């Protein structure tokens, strides 16, 4: 048992070799079998490297969950009423007044839920670093989550830009001049979503690198 363990650790394998009897050997004597050692070469240990990738993957997923949850929470609670109003109008801005912001909220919630559900698979990749199926699933769904989060953040960023600067060609005023609390909150939510997008890019790269080294 100890010899087989030492063979596995050293990478050397003992191969029995049959010696040819010379003319001087006793006739009818059994052939002499000697064991010779052949070095097959050691392969670099990949388990430790892949386990480290799995740990980084888990940490990044927790960070992405925090970023998407914060972005969705800030956007979903953003609303401002101006202190002045007329007899017929009350000036109010809320995220659900803009379909793009609603899409932003839904997209970040979906990504956050997916990242929560992916944590067990990430832990499996740490325990069993050579597993391929779990890593392939993570790579596939991480790519889909990346596309969704990027689309939601980009669309919301366009509306935030118009809210800050307006568009003189279409006579769209800059809403942030009046709603000075609404705009910083939605801007912060967009920044958090772009941060989650960057983390998802890192997750996709890590998964692809782990599969390439498999």
């Amino acid at each position: 048992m100890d010899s087989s363990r030492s063979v596995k650790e050293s990478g050397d394998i003992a191969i029995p070799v049959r010696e040819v009897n010379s003319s001087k050997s006793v006739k009818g004597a059994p052939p002499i079998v000697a064991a010779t050692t052949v070095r097959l070469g050691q392969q670099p240990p990949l388990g430790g490297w892949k386990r480290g990738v799995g740990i980084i993957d888990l940490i990044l997923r927790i960070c992405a969950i925090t970023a998407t949850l914060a972005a969705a929470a800030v956007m979903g609670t953003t609303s401002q009423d101006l202190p002045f109003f007329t007899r017929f109008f009350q000036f109010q801005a809320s995220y659900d007044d803009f379909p793009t912001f609603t899409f932003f909220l839904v997209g970040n919630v979906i990504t956050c839920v997916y990242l929560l559900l992916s944590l067990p698979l990430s832990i499996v990749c740490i325990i069993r670093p050579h597993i391929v199926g779990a890593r392939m699933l993570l790579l596939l769904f991480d790519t889909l989550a990346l596309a969704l989060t990027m689309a939601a953040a980009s669309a919301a960023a366009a509306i935030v830009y118009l809210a800050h600067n307006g568009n003189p060609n279409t006579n769209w005023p800059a809403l942030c001049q009046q709603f000075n609390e609404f705009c910083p909150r939605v801007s912060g939510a967009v920044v958090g979503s772009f941060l989650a997008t960057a983390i998802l890019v890192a997750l996709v790269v890590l998964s692809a690198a782990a599969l390439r080294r498999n």
Side-chain angles (χ1 to χ4, degrees):
M1 187 69 179
D2 295 335
S3 61
S4 63
R5 184 178 300 173
S6 61
V7 166
K8 291 181 180 179
E9 292 177 354
S10 61
D12 298 340
I13 296 179
I15 300 177
V17 179
R18 183 184 300 272
E19 289 188 358
V20 180
N21 292 329
S22 62
S23 59
K24 297 181 180 180
S25 60
V26 180
K27 186 176 181 180
I32 301 174
V33 179
T36 181
T37 301
V38 179
R39 181 175 295 275
L40 299 180
Q42 295 180 351
Q43 294 181 352
L46 297 179
W49 182 84
K50 288 189 176 182
R51 187 169 286 109
V53 170
I55 294 173
I56 296 174
D57 180 276
L58 180 62
I59 295 173
L60 289 178
R61 287 182 189 279
I62 295 174
C63 294
I65 290 171
T66 304
T68 52
L69 181 61
V74 170
M75 182 63 75
T77 56
T78 298
S79 178
Q80 182 182 1
D81 295 327
L82 293 182
F84 55 89
F85 55 90
T86 65
R87 182 178 178 182
F88 301 100
F89 298 100
Q90 181 178 6
F91 298 95
Q92 180 187 16
S94 178
Y95 82 94
D96 53 0
D97 295 330
F98 302 88
T100 303
F101 289 160
T102 304
F103 169 64
F104 174 89
L105 176 63
V106 173
N108 279 273
V109 168
I110 292 175
T111 301
C112 183
V113 171
Y114 156 70
L115 290 171
L116 281 172
L117 296 177
S118 69
L119 290 180
L121 281 178
S122 182
I123 295 174
V124 168
C125 291
I126 297 175
I127 299 173
R128 301 180 60 186
H130 294 286
I131 194 170
V132 178
R135 183 63 65 184
M136 283 292 295
L137 285 176
L138 288 176
L139 178 60
L140 174 63
F141 287 105
D142 285 348
T143 305
L144 295 177
L146 171 61
L148 176 62
T149 310
M150 175 67 78
S154 300
I159 301 300
V160 170
Y161 176 83
L162 288 176
H164 278 282
N165 300 299
N167 191 341
N169 296 328
T170 56
N171 294 324
W172 288 352
L175 297 179
C176 293
Q177 294 179 358
Q178 290 80 27
F179 297 94
N180 53 2
E181 295 180 4
F182 176 81
C183 289
R185 288 180 62 86
V186 296
S187 299
V190 171
V191 170
S193 186
F194 274 118
L195 178 61
T197 301
I199 296 174
L200 286 170
V201 170
L203 288 174
V204 170
V205 172
L206 278 178
S207 295
L211 288 173
R212 186 176 182 274
R213 293 287 297 272
N214 195 7

